[in-house]
Amino acid sequence: MKINRWTRRATLLLAALTVLLSGCTTYVTTQVTAFSDWSGSDATRTYAFTRAGDQQNNLELSTYERIVANELAAHAFRQVDTAQARYLVGLSYGIRSDMVTVAEPVYYNPWPTPYWGRPFDPWGPWGPFPTAYVNQSYPIFTHLLGVRITERATGKEVYNVTARNSGGESSLVRAMPYLARSALADFPIGNGVVRTVKIPLDKNGGASNEVAATGAAPAAAPAPASGAKAVQ
């Protein structure tokens, strides 16, 4: 899917503001897009991970599979040998870096000593003044996770979800728990759903168990999974 240049600039600018306000941020925001033809039941949610030929000994992929497996287990999926699995789960992932330039004001105060002016007017009538603007560049990183579920016997694709977020985090492995939890929140969601998922951080800086999702679904939304909160 191609994104026109104005949409991309707007996305990068929003990500830049996220970096600037990172000190106040208490959650990670992820955009999720899903396509679904899901009809499975809890009793048949057995699966195995599938890989391309050149990924058989990929330690990075093994790490991400464990993260996704934890999220699948929360939705009654059980990992088994490939021969016994009803579904095959394939992962795609990546990270891209960009630089965003933001014009920031430089302030000048011609009266460095305290000004005893009107109440609630600590600067008085003279300042500080934005006398110039300086361009500051910030690195922005876009993280991506795709989860594709197919029926092993027929090869039919039954669920395909993509999660994407941006910010100042340069490590994909640190972003992966948020991507995986966002991608599979309230599984299964309707076909063609695009929504935003926010995962709060706990007091130690880790991911909270609470998930808040916003966005319109073309079909009736399923009940949220345990520990998740959906806001339509």
Side-chain angles (χ1 to χ4, degrees):
M1 178 176 64
K2 294 183 179 179
I3 302 176
N4 63 54
R5 62 177 182 172
W6 297 113
T7 301
R8 185 166 181 268
R9 287 179 181 177
T11 301
L12 292 176
L13 179 59
L14 179 61
L17 294 175
T18 300
V19 172
L20 292 175
L21 299 174
S22 59
C24 300
T25 300
T26 57
Y27 52 81
V28 174
T29 301
T30 302
Q31 185 184 60
V32 175
T33 304
F35 297 94
S36 176
D37 187 20
W38 183 261
S39 60
S41 66
D42 289 352
T44 59
R45 291 185 180 184
T46 57
Y47 77 97
F49 285 109
T50 181
R51 297 184 176 189
D54 59 350
Q55 295 179 320
Q56 296 305 312
N57 297 307
N58 189 317
L59 288 176
E60 181 182 14
L61 179 54
S62 297
T63 300
Y64 299 156
E65 286 176 345
R66 287 194 294 271
I67 294 172
V68 172
N70 288 336
E71 298 303 325
L72 288 171
H75 300 285
F77 279 88
R78 183 167 56 91
Q79 189 171 2
V80 297
D81 292 337
T82 301
Q84 282 76 47
R86 176 166 182 177
Y87 300 106
L88 296 178
V89 177
L91 305 184
S92 58
Y93 54 89
I95 184 170
R96 186 184 67 197
S97 62
D98 291 283
M99 295 296 294
V100 174
T101 301
V102 179
E104 297 183 345
V106 177
Y107 290 94
Y108 169 67
N109 180 13
W111 299 93
T113 57
Y115 168 77
W116 304 105
R118 299 185 304 273
F120 310 109
D121 187 14
W123 293 108
W126 295 287
F129 300 101
T131 59
Y133 286 85
V134 175
N135 289 333
Q136 296 286 349
S137 295
Y138 298 91
I140 298 297
F141 301 92
T142 300
H143 319 98
L144 176 72
L145 171 66
V147 180
R148 183 173 184 260
I149 303 178
T150 59
E151 291 182 341
R152 182 181 64 84
T154 65
K156 176 185 175 183
E157 182 179 88
V158 293
Y159 203 72
N160 193 330
V161 61
T162 302
R164 183 193 313 269
N165 61 37
S166 298
E169 177 56 70
S170 61
S171 170
L172 180 59
V173 70
R174 288 178 183 160
M176 189 57 64
Y178 302 98
L179 293 170
R181 186 169 299 175
S182 299
L184 295 169
D186 301 335
F187 176 91
I189 57 178
N191 184 52
V193 170
V194 179
R195 66 179 189 166
T196 299
V197 177
K198 294 183 178 181
I199 300 178
L201 302 176
D202 64 23
K203 63 181 180 180
N204 297 318
S208 168
N209 288 327
E210 181 182 2
V211 177
T214 60
S226 176
K229 177 178 67 176
V231 181
Q232 298 297 337

